[in-house]
Amino acid sequence: MKKFSFIFLMVLISSANFGWAQCSDIFFSEYIEGTSNNKALEIFNPTGGSVDLGDYQIHRYNNGAITSPDIFALAGMLADGDVYVIANSAADPIILAQADTTGTATFYNGDDALLLINTSTGDTVDIIGILGIDPGTNWPVGTGATSEFTLVRMDTVTEGTTDWALSSTQWHVFNQDYFDSLGAHSFVGCPTNPGGSTNCMTELFFSEYIEGSSNNKALEIYNPLDIPVDLDNYEIHRFNNGASTGPDIFELSGTLASTDVYVIANSLADSIILAQADTTGSATFYNGDDALLLINTATNDTIDIIGILGMDPGTNWPVDTGATSEFTLVRMDTVHEGTTDWALSATQWHVFPQNTFDYLGAHSMSPCTAGPPPPPPPDSTNCTTEIFFSEYIEGSSNNKALEIYNPMDIDVDLDNYEVHRFNNGASTGPDIFELAGILASTDVYVIANPSADTAIILQADTFGSATFYNGDDALLLINTATGDTVDIIGILGVDPGTNWPVDTGATSEYTLVRMPSVNEGTTDWALSSTQWIVFPQNTFDSLGSHTMYPCGPPPADPTVSFIPNIATVGEGDGTVS
């Protein structure tokens, strides 16, 4: 927290240029990986108030590990607009002069993943690298990398992210052993949402994608805002065949009216496509295996993506019953915003046969609720608006069960939810299990295998195919009313072999209970895999109820009213031993 010279550039920012970032948590603002022990991390507070660093930790995972991190606890109060510097104790005196503390958080070598975690909420608020992946020497960042460079977060970044594909585009790169900017961070500040808007979305997104025969290709972009948008602040970056550098950059231009679309066509496309086109160009030179990023250049944010940056899928990415090649994809009308999570986006499209052009040139989006949701009542413990998976049992034989928790202050109609089970790395043709009934506030809903042990059966609300998993299947909890995936176990489209590791256990032959600090689901398995308490196979004691901390700091003793007395049930005999 030294050398405090925070530069706040108060600017008037058009609502067409910026999304309304919340500046609601701290994030990594500088990363130094220099010669020898010249290593340091800087953390910035944009929140508008002081932050108690006692609620934060840095978890360092070495060389692709996803378990047994080095945990470094932060301490002290971080003032608004100030930075906190962690240095290697053997670093250059210039680094040490700016350090607030020294420690093991800096024992990285460029190929380690660093997670900044808010322990009071259980959320990972920022990440450097990718959890569970060993990149070899480092991860590329612009013209540099996470080894032998200094990285300074761009001043337009207002929050951390767990999406490294996005984060890797958010840093200025300086030569090795550059220390001049350590100890302070420049930041343009958080814009505010204009009053009176009933809009539920603050950015453009892809609304249609055509990959037809020959050159019949087109992209449609939709403006869901209540105001026109200046397209001069947007680009499409096309990365071919798994590339993560050297994109083809296509600049948009003009003004896009509220609820209107902007169509980019291939210049040699069918006349029906060209009749709807606002422009033609290289953004459409894709073949189904290319990643397309829609970027707001004013904020440097990637606001929507088709495909996965840095991955070559072969021919295409599957999308429901179709794919990103030889189909037309139209975004569902329940989608109100883009996403950089392709596992989520891949579930958000209606699929039509190749050379379907009927929907191009207009887009329907379901209306948002009028205004923001009301705040919870004063005595409310609610901090989330969706149900989530709270327990997962993969025991011996058919001892399998899923528990779903309702953290809200209101009852939930389960008729609006389904569990989709994708077997062995599949991303299409899921087994769909429909939920039913009303789930009361703070109650659980248990789906059991019909041949499970009596101890499981006694807690079951229903039985069915959602539990026909073997540890290597992806499970998605989907709100069918909104089209959103609200929670996930595993990774859609990836076959992990036997299972996905979870701390000291795995998704096979263990019982997993969601930590009480978790108050919402996530589609980021790298995050979710850190959110479970692991118990031995055939542990059934906690099934049928779930404890979640109220929003805010956890109780002083986190074991109170939660950790069950571990007892295991022998297969098929119903006795407790």
Side-chain angles (χ1 to χ4, degrees):
M1 286 172 269
K2 301 178 181 176
K3 200 171 80 174
F4 176 51
S5 59
F6 167 56
I7 303 171
F8 188 87
L9 304 178
M10 181 58 74
V11 292
L12 295 176
I13 303 168
S14 157
S15 62
N17 292 347
F18 274 80
W20 315 115
Q22 297 301 307
C23 290
S24 59
D25 219 328
I26 61 179
F27 60 85
F28 291 124
S29 52
E30 187 159 345
Y31 169 98
I32 295 176
E33 208 289 319
T35 56
S36 188
N37 293 306
N38 289 336
K39 303 180 186 187
L41 288 169
E42 180 185 274
I43 295 168
F44 178 65
N45 175 15
T47 62
S50 296
V51 170
D52 184 356
L53 294 179
D55 292 329
Y56 293 85
Q57 297 173 346
I58 294 176
H59 291 201
R60 176 172 52 83
Y61 293 82
N62 289 346
N63 308 330
I66 59 173
T67 59
S68 303
D70 172 85
I71 299 176
F72 183 82
L74 310 189
M77 299 299 294
L78 182 57
D80 176 46
D82 202 357
V83 297
Y84 182 81
V85 176
I86 309 161
N88 189 294
S89 59
D92 188 284
I94 297 175
I95 292 178
L96 292 174
Q98 299 301 333
D100 295 287
T101 189
T102 60
T104 58
T106 63
F107 292 1
Y108 47 76
N109 293 297
D111 58 350
D112 306 324
L114 303 172
L115 278 65
L116 179 58
I117 293 177
N118 184 326
T119 57
S120 68
T121 64
D123 291 333
T124 299
V125 296
D126 206 5
I127 193 167
I128 295 174
I130 304 175
L131 184 66
I133 290 182
D134 186 346
T137 305
N138 55 44
W139 283 280
V141 178
T143 57
T146 50
S147 66
E148 302 183 353
F149 289 89
T150 290
L151 308 177
V152 177
R153 209 72 170 260
M154 295 175 180
D155 60 4
T156 52
V157 175
T158 57
E159 61 187 348
T161 174
T162 59
D163 180 2
W164 178 247
L166 170 60
S167 181
S168 63
T169 68
Q170 295 181 336
W171 302 82
H172 295 294
V173 178
F174 297 92
N175 291 333
Q176 190 176 34
D177 293 333
Y178 174 85
F179 312 141
D180 291 4
S181 59
L182 189 66
H185 183 63
S186 294
F187 178 61
V188 300
C190 292
T192 55
N193 200 344
S197 174
T198 59
N199 181 42
C200 58
M201 170 55 193
T202 56
E203 268 295 2
L204 313 178
F205 59 87
F206 291 124
S207 52
E208 188 160 346
Y209 168 98
I210 296 175
E211 208 287 319
S213 59
S214 187
N215 293 304
N216 289 336
K217 304 180 186 188
L219 286 170
E220 181 186 272
I221 295 169
Y222 179 65
N223 175 14
L225 304 177
D226 295 332
I227 55 175
V229 168
D230 183 357
L231 293 179
D232 291 340
N233 292 320
Y234 293 84
E235 296 175 347
I236 295 175
H237 291 202
R238 177 172 51 83
F239 294 83
N240 288 346
N241 307 331
S244 58
T245 58
D248 171 85
I249 299 176
F250 184 83
E251 299 177 356
L252 310 190
S253 63
T255 299
L256 182 56
S258 171
T259 68
D260 200 3
V261 297
Y262 183 81
V263 176
I264 309 162
N266 188 294
S267 60
L268 300 177
D270 188 282
S271 58
I272 298 176
I273 292 178
L274 293 175
Q276 299 297 336
D278 294 285
T279 189
T280 59
S282 60
T284 63
F285 294 176
Y286 47 77
N287 292 296
D289 58 352
D290 307 325
L292 303 172
L293 278 65
L294 179 58
I295 294 176
N296 182 326
T297 57
T299 64
N300 290 308
D301 289 335
T302 299
I303 55 177
D304 205 6
I305 194 168
I306 295 174
I308 303 175
L309 184 65
M311 177 180 289
D312 187 344
T315 305
N316 55 44
W317 281 279
V319 179
D320 194 53
T321 56
T324 51
S325 66
E326 302 183 358
F327 287 90
T328 290
L329 308 178
V330 176
R331 209 71 170 261
M332 295 176 179
D333 62 1
T334 53
V335 175
H336 299 132
E337 60 185 350
T339 175
T340 59
D341 180 2
W342 178 247
L344 170 61
S345 180
T347 68
Q348 295 181 335
W349 301 82
H350 295 294
V351 177
F352 297 96
Q354 189 179 35
N355 295 332
T356 300
F357 311 142
D358 296 6
Y359 304 96
L360 193 64
H363 182 67
S364 295
M365 187 183 83
S366 61
C368 302
T369 56
D379 62 347
S380 172
T381 60
N382 180 43
C383 51
T384 182
T385 56
E386 269 294 1
I387 60 179
F388 60 87
F389 291 124
S390 53
E391 188 159 346
Y392 168 97
I393 295 175
E394 209 287 320
S396 59
S397 187
N398 293 307
N399 289 336
K400 304 181 186 187
L402 285 172
E403 180 186 274
I404 295 169
Y405 179 65
N406 175 14
M408 292 183 279
D409 296 330
I410 58 174
D411 297 345
V412 169
D413 183 356
L414 293 179
D415 291 341
N416 292 325
Y417 293 85
E418 297 173 346
V419 175
H420 290 202
R421 177 172 52 83
F422 294 83
N423 289 346
N424 308 330
S427 58
T428 59
D431 172 86
I432 298 176
F433 183 82
E434 299 177 357
L435 310 190
I438 301 296
L439 180 56
S441 171
T442 71
D443 199 3
V444 297
Y445 182 81
V446 175
I447 310 166
N449 188 294
S451 301
D453 189 280
T454 304
I456 293 178
I457 297 294
L458 289 173
Q459 299 297 337
D461 294 286
T462 190
F463 307 92
S465 59
T467 63
F468 294 176
Y469 47 77
N470 292 298
D472 58 350
D473 307 327
L475 303 172
L476 277 65
L477 179 58
I478 293 178
N479 182 328
T480 57
T482 64
D484 291 335
T485 299
V486 296
D487 205 5
I488 192 168
I489 295 174
I491 304 175
L492 183 66
V494 172
D495 187 346
T498 305
N499 55 45
W500 281 279
V502 178
D503 193 51
T504 57
T507 50
S508 66
E509 303 182 358
Y510 287 89
T511 289
L512 308 178
V513 177
R514 211 67 171 264
M515 295 176 179
S517 57
V518 175
N519 48 54
E520 61 183 351
T522 175
T523 60
D524 180 2
W525 177 246
L527 169 61
S528 180
S529 64
T530 68
Q531 295 181 336
W532 302 82
I533 300 173
V534 177
F535 296 101
Q537 189 178 35
N538 295 332
T539 301
F540 310 143
D541 291 21
S542 59
L543 190 65
S545 64
H546 183 65
T547 297
M548 187 186 86
Y549 294 152
C551 295
D557 182 358
T559 64
V560 172
S561 302
F562 175 64
I563 303 299
N565 294 319
I566 300 177
T568 58
V569 178
E571 179 184 347
D573 60 10
T575 60
V576 178
S577 58

